Amino acid sequence: MTRTRVQLPFGRQMLQPLANDIANLGPPPQRSTPHQPSMVEPFPSAPSVSGHSDRCPKRMKHALSIAEVEAYTQPFLDFITENPTVFHAVDAVAQRLKSNGFTKLSSREEWGDKIQKGGRYFVERNGSSIIAFTVGSHHKPGNGAAVIAAHIDALTTKVKPIPTKPTRAGYVQLGIAPYGGALNKTWWDRDLGIGGKVLVKDKSTGRIQTRLVKLDHPIGRIPTLAPHFGAPAYDPNPNPETQMVPIIGLDPSRTDDNATLNNIGLESTGLLRESYSFASTQPPRLVQAISRKLNVDDASIVNWELEVFDMQPAQLGGLDKEFIFAPRVDDKLCSYAAIEALIASASTATTKDGSQPNGDDSIIKIVGCFDDEEIGSLLRQGARSNFLPSTIERTVAALAGGQCSTDLVSQTFANGFMISADVSHAVNPNYLNVYLENHAPQLNVGIAVQADPNGHTTTNSVSTTFLQRIAEKCDSKLQVFQIRNDSRSGGTVGPMLSSAMGMRAIDAGLPQLSMHSIRATIGNLDPGLGVKLFKGFFDHFEEVEAEFA
């Protein structure tokens, strides 16, 4: 999430209960004794997937208890640590959905005979965005959709197309580029790992397959200059092209700056030779490490999209382990909570034919986790694309027996409601002066409503009242965030999606410290508190919707 300027546009009557709740919150809840996993029954025999523990609360209709909320903490830590790239995160979500009865759909195929009432489905785009949804067993054409939209990309660095750099002073370096606001001062002296998506050509069939890879150890570091060297060490604006280049190895035998270029398939002009192969343009030792990990020949690798990221695991911290210190929180946090809420909200009631319809629901419940939010959402896998609207349109058409009209789709949008779920700013005790009074969210309390008088978020009086009623029904607390008039504003995926579909919406997300740092801080209960409210949104949508004229 970009830094978001918000001001609640609703009246004093709506704001006062929220302000009173925040004023009376007191210190965040703390544990006196370690949590005992036996307090919560795990999901029944769900297979383990990469980076996701199955120690999550069982699916239930009532509001989650504190023990059930806390049971999401360790799975979230695992998810963050084991899935460092956007491709790994989406793949882990897909595996999680499959293990809970969701069927994968292909955008290239017809959906007319595949989507049924009571079904659970998901669809991917580019391997970096994913939309999951369930259809109520009592769904009727034109009924609304309960939507949670988040972004699953995070600030990172990406390996350049030709990242091989001349050896300098015996160091092998790697050419990387910042994604969004990454490669800032928090990236100095960090253990950096590498991984991502690799395209591999099968020699026997000639087909190109996508494989995911990550090396198990740090491969690089961006070293700082010691303060003994004076002014250059204190430069507030280091050059990201020349002074923030990671070192990935030693090559004492090669000190000629031009020697490396002559061996990677490049002419002095930078043009590729006729004998070009992808592997020849990459650092040889990196190619070897990746090919060994995938158990393929170097020549089989035809391209890749690799990220360089913080290797340090997500972990609990604080005297009573009330914090989570983790990379890539913005915004795998809300994506994780939304997906888990969708799974938890799905009914486990089994009918005579052995199916598991989604209870008495008559709506479509949807979670969209999008790529590219940190860079504007303009690509085909971003929220500004047709991914979410077209998914809803195709689902409505399939459920209407192919007799779908523009009027029916518009009716579904109009009867729907969306939570644009992106992280918010938690109050920093060292900089209290930069926060607006009564608008400073705390950790381990709950979701923060975000609004903005200039349209950078979707929040208004109706959507705030709607979410407040949801919170009351699922015993959740709402906080409020607004940035000061003298601070910079940002935005979320909410306005672009809400305006494209004409759907009512609100911006609300979990608070974090150190947004856009390589590592951030949240509360140990925050992942579960997100699940609690989002699950309540799915569970109580229809009864709250009925309260509005």
Side-chain angles (χ1 to χ4, degrees):
M1 175 186 176
T2 50
R3 289 181 290 178
T4 308
R5 167 189 251 166
V6 291
Q7 178 175 339
L8 294 175
F10 43 86
R12 178 177 296 274
Q13 183 178 2
M14 186 63 216
L15 175 59
Q16 192 59 47
L18 293 178
N20 291 340
D21 282 346
I22 295 169
N24 296 324
L25 285 176
Q30 299 182 3
R31 295 181 293 169
S32 57
T33 57
H35 169 65
Q36 299 297 322
S38 60
M39 295 172 67
V40 180
E41 182 179 343
F43 278 115
S45 64
S48 177
V49 298
S50 173
H52 196 106
S53 167
D54 291 311
R55 289 177 50 237
C56 293
K58 66 180 180 180
R59 290 161 284 198
M60 56 196 76
K61 288 292 183 182
H62 62 267
L64 301 183
S65 69
I66 188 65
E68 293 157 353
V69 164
E70 192 176 24
Y72 284 99
T73 300
Q74 186 59 49
F76 174 73
L77 297 176
D78 297 339
F79 175 73
I80 288 291
T81 300
E82 296 300 323
N83 300 289
T85 77
V86 66
F87 303 112
H88 286 88
V90 166
D91 182 67
V93 168
Q95 298 306 317
R96 178 76 173 144
L97 292 169
K98 286 180 181 178
S99 70
N100 282 275
F102 285 71
T103 299
K104 183 176 182 179
L105 300 172
S106 171
S107 295
R108 295 187 175 191
E109 298 175 356
E110 292 186 1
W111 290 3
D113 59 345
K114 294 181 173 64
I115 297 179
Q116 305 292 333
K117 294 179 182 180
R120 309 174 188 180
Y121 310 94
F122 71 94
V123 59
E124 297 180 35
R125 182 174 283 188
N126 190 53
S128 60
S129 291
I130 188 167
I131 294 175
F133 61 95
T134 64
V135 180
S137 58
H138 296 282
H139 178 271
K140 295 180 180 179
N143 284 7
V147 181
I148 301 178
H151 72 90
I152 200 166
D153 62 319
L155 296 187
T156 188
T157 63
K158 299 198 174 187
V159 175
K160 293 180 178 180
I162 302 177
T164 304
K165 300 185 73 66
T167 297
R168 303 188 60 146
Y171 289 103
V172 179
Q173 295 182 283
L174 184 68
I176 60 173
Y179 174 84
L183 211 57
N184 54 46
K185 62 183 180 181
T186 65
W187 284 70
W188 295 104
D189 295 327
R190 298 282 183 173
D191 295 345
L192 302 178
I194 194 168
K197 176 169 72 174
V198 181
L199 301 183
V200 178
K201 187 172 185 177
D202 188 317
K203 291 183 178 179
S204 60
T205 64
R207 295 182 62 85
I208 297 176
Q209 301 174 331
T210 298
R211 303 275 299 276
L212 298 185
V213 67
K214 58 179 178 178
L215 300 187
D216 298 326
H217 64 280
I219 59 96
R221 176 172 280 241
I222 302 172
T224 54
L225 183 66
H228 308 75
F229 290 93
Y234 297 97
D235 184 356
N237 297 300
N239 189 310
E241 181 64 33
T242 61
Q243 295 175 311
M244 299 195 72
V245 185
I247 55 174
I248 61 171
L250 293 173
D251 186 6
S253 64
R254 193 177 299 280
T255 58
D256 179 3
D257 284 2
N258 294 318
T260 305
L261 291 177
N262 293 331
N263 287 302
I264 65 168
L266 292 173
E267 302 288 358
S268 59
T269 60
L271 297 176
L272 299 175
R273 294 175 180 163
E274 293 182 1
S275 58
Y276 160 81
S277 69
F278 176 77
S280 70
T281 66
Q282 309 299 307
R285 286 157 61 186
L286 178 60
V287 174
Q288 293 165 10
I290 297 295
S291 61
R292 282 197 303 267
K293 188 68 176 179
L294 294 176
N295 194 27
V296 299
D297 296 334
D298 295 359
S300 299
I301 298 175
V302 296
N303 215 314
W304 59 33
E305 292 179 56
L306 300 181
E307 298 180 21
V308 173
F309 48 79
D310 177 34
M311 192 77 174
Q312 186 176 350
Q315 56 190 333
L316 293 173
L319 292 177
D320 291 317
K321 297 185 177 179
E322 59 265 64
F323 298 130
I324 291 176
F325 304 142
R328 302 175 290 277
V329 167
D330 179 7
D331 194 9
K332 289 177 172 58
L333 174 59
C334 289
S335 293
Y336 170 87
I339 288 292
E340 288 300 323
L342 182 65
I343 292 172
S345 180
S347 172
T348 57
T350 303
T351 60
K352 293 181 180 179
D353 63 1
S355 63
Q356 293 185 332
N358 298 302
D360 296 326
D361 297 338
S362 64
I363 60 170
I364 305 171
K365 302 175 181 178
I366 305 174
V367 171
C369 300
F370 299 97
D371 192 8
D372 299 328
E373 189 274 345
E374 295 291 355
I375 57 172
S377 301
L378 289 169
L379 304 181
R380 62 184 289 267
Q381 57 270 20
R384 204 183 294 268
S385 72
N386 71 338
F387 192 22
L388 180 58
S390 66
T391 296
I392 296 177
E393 291 168 10
R394 296 183 69 178
T395 300
V396 170
L399 293 170
Q403 305 300 314
C404 184
S405 65
T406 301
D407 181 71
L408 194 59
V409 173
S410 296
Q411 185 181 0
T412 301
F413 291 157
N415 287 326
F417 189 98
M418 180 182 69
I419 298 177
S420 169
D422 203 349
V423 289
S424 183
H425 297 284
V427 61
N428 186 324
N430 298 324
Y431 295 91
L432 293 178
N433 60 302
V434 306
Y435 291 85
L436 188 63
E437 185 179 5
N438 297 323
H439 299 79
Q442 300 178 6
L443 304 180
N444 277 347
V445 171
I447 294 283
V449 173
Q450 309 157 15
D452 184 280
N454 298 304
H456 293 102
T457 65
T458 60
T459 303
N460 60 28
S461 58
V462 172
S463 60
T464 303
T465 304
F466 193 105
L467 192 61
Q468 178 64 27
R469 291 293 293 128
I470 294 291
E472 291 168 359
K473 288 183 175 294
C474 67
D475 192 29
S476 292
K477 285 185 179 293
L478 290 182
Q479 306 188 78
V480 183
F481 176 76
Q482 174 182 344
I483 208 163
R484 288 165 51 104
N485 294 343
D486 53 5
S487 297
R488 185 171 69 89
S489 179
T492 70
V493 302
M496 64 187 73
L497 287 171
S498 177
S499 60
M501 299 183 293
M503 186 177 288
R504 295 165 296 169
I506 189 171
D507 274 271
L510 291 157
Q512 69 160 85
L513 288 168
S514 307
M515 190 178 293
H516 288 193
S517 171
I518 197 171
R519 291 184 71 81
T521 299
I522 59 174
N524 69 312
L525 300 180
D526 283 329
L529 290 173
V531 176
K532 182 177 182 178
L533 181 69
F534 294 157
K535 176 181 178 295
F537 171 63
F538 289 133
D539 287 348
H540 301 292
F541 173 86
E542 292 180 82
E543 55 189 290
V544 172
E545 168 67 7
E547 298 177 3
F548 286 77

